[in-house]
């Protein structure tokens, strides 16, 4: 009896200890899984390898970390492109300027959030057919209250995955080669679907002398969604797509007081190739051009001797006849 009782007491002790160890291991597991993100502060505006520089901080940071700037740092001068391959939040206000010719500013492959940044000074080398001299995005990237300006040869932004712009300004960028747009290219060259979502943004004074658009290029398999966004005073020479170039097999939707005007040679160019075409819509709050019922959209595939100039159709007899026929279910 004594031995049996002793054996029973020992067994209870073992279970009690095992239970305590299980609770301890569980606490340690969850504690390790909930490590707080680190807040980093950039306190040096150069790019020579110092630990306090933006490049060094990005290299040292881990996914989900937050990078801000000391008040004394209002600009960062890069000497090469900055490769961001982690899921970071980088928050200004600060200007990030590229000082090396023929080099982009940011190459982003991590799912990042950029806030209150001005990105400028990027360019592409002669003969380089890629785009995105300011920001080259191959990630799920969100940019909030950012300005991309003064980037040359490759345009402001090239998006190859999923880009969200909120309250951003894309201005005074240029493209001179390849499929680059002056402002934003939304394209993975048809290899995969890409998306660009813009809210409360302005795309203005961007130019392209050889690419696909002055303002925005929405490429094949691209989805472009805009709300309260203005595309104005962009230029494309010598072909189409001053404001926007919408490729075949792309989808573009504008809502909530978008405006596209003052672009040259046209505001929106929708590409049609045999049975394929761009899908485009704008709700009644949006303004395209400057006149009521005025088409400022050029469509490819027109086979006449010359392309007709956009004009108002209000009050046209033939337009009224067509409207009446469409309303009659017995009409052919």
């Amino acid at each position: 009896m004594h031995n049996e009782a002793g054996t029973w007491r020992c067994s209870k002790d073992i279970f009690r200890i095992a239970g305590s160890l299980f609770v301890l291991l569980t606490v340690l597991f969850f504690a390790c899984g909930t490590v707080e993100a680190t807040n980093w502060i950039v306190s040096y505006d150069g790019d020579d390898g110092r630990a306090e520089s933006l490049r060094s901080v990005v290299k040292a940071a881990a996914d989900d970390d937050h990078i801000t700037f000391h008040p004394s740092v209002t600009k960062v001068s890069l000497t090469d492109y900055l490769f961001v391959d982690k899921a970071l939040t980088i928050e200004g206000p600060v200007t990030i300027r590229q000082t090396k010719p023929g080099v982009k500013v940011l190459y982003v492959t991590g799912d990042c959030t950029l806030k209150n940044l001005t990105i400028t000074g990027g360019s592409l080398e002669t003969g380089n057919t890629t785009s995105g001299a300011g920001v080259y995005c191959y990630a799920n990237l969100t940019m909030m209250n950012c300005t991309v300006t003064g980037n040359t040869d490759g345009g402001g932004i090239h998006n190859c995955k999923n880009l969200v712009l909120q309250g951003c300004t894309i201005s005074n960028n240029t493209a001179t080669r390849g499929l680059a747009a002056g402002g934003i290219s939304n394209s993975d060259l048809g290899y995969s679907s890409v998306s660009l979502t813009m809210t409360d943004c302005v795309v203005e004074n961007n130019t392209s002398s050889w690419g696909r658009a002055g303002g925005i290029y929405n490429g094949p398999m691209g989805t472009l969604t805009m709300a309260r966004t203005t595309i104005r005073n962009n230029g494309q020479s010598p072909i189409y797509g001053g404001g926007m170039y919408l490729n075949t097999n792309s989808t573009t939707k504008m809502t909530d007081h978008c405006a596209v005007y003052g672009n040259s040679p046209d505001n929106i160019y929708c590409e049609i190739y045999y049975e394929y075409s761009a899908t485009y819509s704008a709700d009644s709050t949006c303004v395209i051009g400057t006149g009521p019922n005025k088409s400022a959209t050029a469509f490819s595939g027109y086979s006449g001797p010359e392309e007709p100039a956009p004009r108002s159709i209000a009050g046209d007899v033939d337009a009224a006849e067509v409207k009446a026929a469409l309303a009659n279910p017995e009409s052919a």
Side-chain angles (χ1 to χ4, degrees):
M1 296 293 293
H2 176 75
N3 289 339
E4 290 179 359
T7 301
W8 175 245
R9 283 196 301 271
C10 181
S11 298
K12 288 196 295 184
D13 290 341
I14 289 173
F15 282 119
R16 185 167 57 250
I17 293 170
S20 299
L21 287 173
F22 176 79
V23 172
L24 177 61
L25 290 173
T26 301
V27 171
L28 289 174
F29 175 81
F30 283 103
C32 292
T34 57
V35 175
E36 292 186 0
T38 301
N39 294 316
W40 300 81
I41 298 178
V42 176
S43 57
Y44 174 62
D45 63 5
D47 192 24
D48 55 8
R50 294 192 195 180
E52 306 86 14
S53 69
L54 175 59
R55 188 180 303 278
S56 295
V57 167
V58 167
K59 185 176 180 179
D63 283 344
D64 300 321
D65 284 356
H66 193 156
I67 298 173
T68 58
F69 298 82
H70 189 273
S72 64
V73 178
T74 60
K75 62 178 177 60
V76 170
S77 298
L78 298 178
T79 58
D80 206 340
Y81 73 85
L82 181 63
F83 185 50
V84 185
D85 60 347
K86 305 165 187 176
L88 305 175
T89 296
I90 303 176
E91 183 172 2
V94 73
T95 295
I96 302 176
R97 177 182 297 276
Q98 182 59 259
T99 64
K100 184 178 181 179
V103 176
K104 305 175 190 295
V105 183
L106 299 181
Y107 195 118
V108 182
T109 62
D111 294 346
C112 292
T113 298
L114 308 180
K115 299 180 180 179
N116 304 317
L117 305 181
T118 296
I119 299 164
T120 188
S123 60
L124 296 181
E125 295 178 356
T126 301
N128 193 328
T129 58
T130 61
S131 56
V135 180
Y136 191 91
C137 167
Y138 203 86
N140 299 314
L141 175 62
T142 297
M143 300 176 66
M144 304 172 66
N145 301 317
C146 291
T147 298
V148 180
T149 186
N151 301 283
T152 59
D153 294 338
I157 299 175
H158 188 107
N159 173 50
C160 289
K161 199 166 183 181
N162 300 302
L163 175 62
V164 176
L165 302 180
Q166 300 175 358
C168 294
T169 298
I170 315 299
S171 65
N172 298 294
N173 304 284
T174 63
T176 58
R177 59 175 63 86
L179 298 178
I184 308 171
S185 296
N186 184 49
S187 174
D188 194 26
L189 302 179
Y191 292 110
S192 60
S193 299
V194 298
S195 69
L196 170 61
T197 303
M198 305 175 67
T199 307
D200 298 313
C201 295
V202 175
V203 180
E204 63 182 355
N205 300 322
N206 303 284
T207 60
S208 176
S209 60
W210 184 251
R212 288 294 182 93
I216 299 176
Y217 170 58
N218 192 20
M221 299 177 67
T223 298
L224 171 59
T225 305
M226 294 189 293
R228 299 186 302 278
T229 291
T230 299
I231 315 296
R232 64 189 177 200
N233 303 330
N234 302 282
Q236 160 72 329
S237 175
I239 52 176
Y240 308 116
M244 299 166 60
Y245 189 116
L246 312 181
N247 210 314
T248 56
N249 295 323
S250 69
T251 301
T252 300
K253 182 179 181 180
M254 296 193 295
T255 62
D256 197 4
H257 299 87
C258 287
V260 185
Y261 62 89
N263 303 284
S264 176
D266 48 23
N267 285 310
I268 302 175
Y269 178 77
C270 291
E271 187 176 69
I272 301 173
Y273 184 73
Y274 293 100
E275 71 272 25
Y276 304 103
S277 65
T279 300
Y280 160 77
S281 65
D283 71 17
S284 60
T285 67
C286 297
V287 175
I288 312 299
T290 57
N293 296 321
K294 179 171 285 189
S295 169
T297 304
F299 292 91
S300 66
Y302 180 76
S303 59
E306 62 181 27
E307 186 171 348
R311 64 178 182 82
S312 175
I313 62 172
D316 284 7
V317 175
D318 54 350
E321 291 176 351
V322 171
K323 183 177 180 180
L326 289 173
N328 182 1
E330 297 181 356
S331 172

